[in-house]
Amino acid sequence: MGKILIKNIKGLVQCGENLPKVRKGAEMKELPILENAFLALEDGVIIEYGLMSEWGGLEDWRDLEIIDADGKFVLPAFCDSHTHTVFAKSREEEFVDRINGLTYEEIAVRGGGILNSARRLTEMSEDDLFNHAIIRIDRLKSYGTGALEIKSGYGLSVDGELKMLRVIKRLKSACDIPIKATFLGAHAFPPEFKDNHRGYIDLIINEMIPKIAEEKLADYIDVFCERNYFSVEEMEEILSAGIAVGLQPKVHVNQFSALGGIRKAVELNALSVDHLEELAVDDLEALKGSSVMPTILPSCSHFLSIPFGDARRLMDSNLPVALASDFNPGSTPSGNLSFVWSLACVKMKMTPEEALNALTINAAYAMDLSQTHGTISIGKKTAVILTKEIPNLAYIPYSFGDQLIERLIIS
Ligand code: NIG
Ligand code: FE
């Protein structure tokens, strides 16, 4: 890997040294941009940046790729801290059911939804799951995603969950972007345990977690804490077993109801609490002063026609917000983070700057990648987006549905 010099950059976004690991509250409006800049990359690392007028030239011009970014912006790659990228098949029949009047929850209660994906996963080989995921990840990269979290959760059996996590482990070594693995065995109760929650929780704690720890198959542990899924008490028990083997919680909470899962997740030192379409006063109180990243998934709200997370209320409480895609076959069949950016602006009244902080600095934090991703700083990994020619940064979320990312440049 040689050197890359990007010159004549119209705006070099989110660049600087000693930038914060998290931007919260009013700080989320801050977004440093260097106009008419250059960026130098070597061996997969950012080595220099500055104004074109200050460029000192290169000592060694061998093995150099020069990119002329005239009229274009360069920004840190998006970090997608919440996805379900490994799955067997799409579920457009449920999409049609919802158009015809059923809700996501009604479909799930009838055995559709997550259980539908779980049935299909048993029929697909590990190799096929892997090959499908690779194609999806290539597409996500073309949208500017330079780091990806992927959950299990469509296995719902010892074999199924291990199968998913092994696929994610293979993806980690096959892909040129960092991937974090989250164990989500507690995504739903499989039908055979519908009336035997104790039995499934025992399976998770006594069979799945020890094997996952032994084979080092996961970085985090997740539970879908929701009515008809896992109660706060069940979540606590499962997360505690994960914590005991070194898995930090990152949880699904408050998608349809506020059950108190946020306070519990804060107590258990979760890295992030995700969804938050519903937010009670006590949830907000629990988050204040904590180091947990509230993560909102606007494409899920869009696709299921449920409320959008109240980012303004979180930021007004001096809290940070991260945004992620939730890419999955049921609630969010799109992993396009430019669209997430747009929804955050249009539907959640985040400014373009606030939303970009939520997709870069704060999202990197929500997947433990602050050291290498999230900003354009010397020593960080080469993971940057080159846009097409655009008049200004707000033009990206403004032009919803357009592909304005020309290319993802990664090490
Ligand atoms: O984050 N809410 C739970 N899990 C996923 C949806 C999974 C599915 O429907 O397949 C989500 O939206
Ligand atoms: Fe999810």
Side-chain angles (χ1 to χ4, degrees):
M1 170 111 206
K3 294 185 276 287
I4 301 174
L5 174 67
I6 312 179
K7 62 174 189 175
N8 297 328
I9 303 168
K10 181 167 183 165
L12 182 61
V13 181
Q14 195 74 297
C15 73
E17 299 309 299
N18 306 314
L19 296 181
K21 265 171 65 180
V22 168
R23 284 209 174 95
K24 57 182 166 47
E27 297 158 10
M28 287 189 70
K29 291 199 187 307
E30 292 168 22
L31 185 71
I33 301 184
L34 262 189
E35 287 171 14
N36 200 15
F38 73 91
L39 175 66
L41 310 159
E42 186 168 0
D43 295 332
V45 171
I46 296 169
I47 57 162
E48 206 186 340
Y49 56 81
L51 297 174
M52 283 304 285
S53 57
E54 292 170 350
W55 187 46
L58 280 178
E59 280 175 26
D60 184 356
W61 291 77
R62 278 171 299 185
D63 199 13
L64 175 69
E65 179 189 351
I66 298 180
I67 299 171
D68 192 346
D70 209 3
K72 302 171 182 177
F73 284 70
V74 170
L75 29 152
F78 300 134
C79 295
D80 199 344
S81 68
H82 181 138
T83 83
H84 308 250
T85 303
V86 173
F87 57 87
K89 280 200 181 136
S90 56
R91 303 208 313 253
E92 53 278 15
E93 62 290 346
E94 293 176 7
F95 164 64
V96 176
D97 287 342
R98 281 205 314 282
I99 295 170
N100 287 322
L102 288 180
T103 66
Y104 179 83
E105 287 180 284
E106 284 164 351
I107 292 167
V109 168
R110 294 174 173 204
I114 296 165
L115 298 182
N116 187 353
S117 281
R119 275 192 302 277
R120 290 168 174 189
L121 189 111
T122 55
E123 293 154 15
M124 194 173 263
S125 72
E126 217 172 287
D127 281 346
D128 283 348
L129 279 171
F130 173 83
N131 292 331
H132 281 83
I134 287 280
I135 295 168
R136 287 180 203 126
I137 292 170
D138 278 341
R139 198 168 66 238
L140 299 180
K141 280 163 53 187
S142 76
Y143 297 146
T145 298
L148 190 65
E149 182 262 13
I150 308 178
K151 299 172 195 298
S152 69
Y154 294 129
L156 307 184
S157 65
V158 179
D159 287 349
E161 285 298 308
L162 291 175
K163 174 161 127 182
M164 286 194 78
L165 290 168
R166 287 185 189 127
V167 169
I168 301 172
K169 191 172 183 176
R170 277 174 68 188
L171 293 169
K172 282 188 182 195
S173 39
C175 293
D176 51 8
I177 60 170
I179 293 178
K180 298 284 178 132
T182 301
F183 168 54
L184 177 54
H187 200 187
F189 285 96
E192 60 276 29
F193 288 103
K194 188 168 169 275
D195 301 311
N196 178 15
H197 284 198
R198 185 71 259 154
Y200 188 57
I201 294 168
D202 284 343
L203 201 68
I204 292 176
I205 294 177
N206 301 327
E207 307 275 334
M208 298 183 196
I209 291 178
K211 289 217 175 63
I212 290 163
E214 192 187 310
E215 287 185 44
K216 295 197 172 28
L217 289 174
D219 302 294
Y220 308 111
I221 182 162
D222 192 348
V223 172
F224 186 17
C225 180
E226 189 54 66
R227 61 178 177 231
N228 297 329
Y229 294 87
F230 292 80
S231 68
V232 175
E233 294 70 32
E234 290 169 340
M235 175 181 79
E236 179 177 17
E237 194 183 347
I238 295 163
L239 293 182
S240 301
I243 291 167
V245 298
L247 303 177
Q248 194 180 6
K250 254 176 100 61
V251 292
H252 282 75
V253 279
N254 291 46
Q255 183 175 5
F256 302 109
S257 49
L259 304 176
I262 291 183
R263 183 168 286 283
K264 186 54 73 185
V266 170
E267 267 174 45
L268 294 172
N269 186 35
L271 181 57
S272 69
V273 286
D274 302 20
H275 269 291
L276 318 185
E277 288 87 342
E278 302 295 327
L279 203 55
V281 174
D282 186 62
D283 296 321
L284 215 55
E285 288 307 312
L287 286 167
K288 285 182 189 163
S290 82
S291 55
V292 182
M293 181 58 69
T295 300
I296 297 180
L297 315 167
S299 290
C300 176
S301 297
H302 165 74
F303 193 68
L304 295 187
S305 303
I306 60 176
F308 285 82
D310 197 342
R312 284 251 70 85
R313 196 163 147 223
L314 289 161
M315 292 185 295
D316 288 347
S317 307
N318 199 29
L319 289 165
V321 174
L323 291 164
S325 73
D326 198 17
F327 181 36
N328 75 74
S331 72
T332 320
S334 160
N336 185 331
L337 289 175
S338 292
F339 183 59
V340 167
W341 191 354
S342 207
L343 285 174
C345 295
V346 176
K347 298 293 185 182
M348 293 156 57
K349 302 285 176 251
M350 294 179 86
T351 66
E353 293 79 13
E354 288 169 339
L356 189 62
N357 275 312
L359 286 165
T360 56
I361 286 199
N362 290 355
Y365 175 92
M367 53 195 302
D368 284 317
L369 289 177
S370 304
Q371 290 300 320
T372 51
H373 289 70
T375 67
I376 293 180
S377 312
I378 293 177
K380 284 205 181 184
K381 286 263 191 303
T382 296
V384 300
I385 288 169
L386 176 67
T387 69
K388 295 184 179 163
E389 284 190 32
I390 50 174
N392 48 56
L393 206 58
Y395 190 76
I396 299 177
Y398 159 86
S399 307
F400 77 93
D402 271 1
Q403 166 68 312
L404 295 173
I405 310 295
E406 182 167 293
R407 145 173 197 212
L408 176 75
I409 301 170
I410 40 175
S411 35

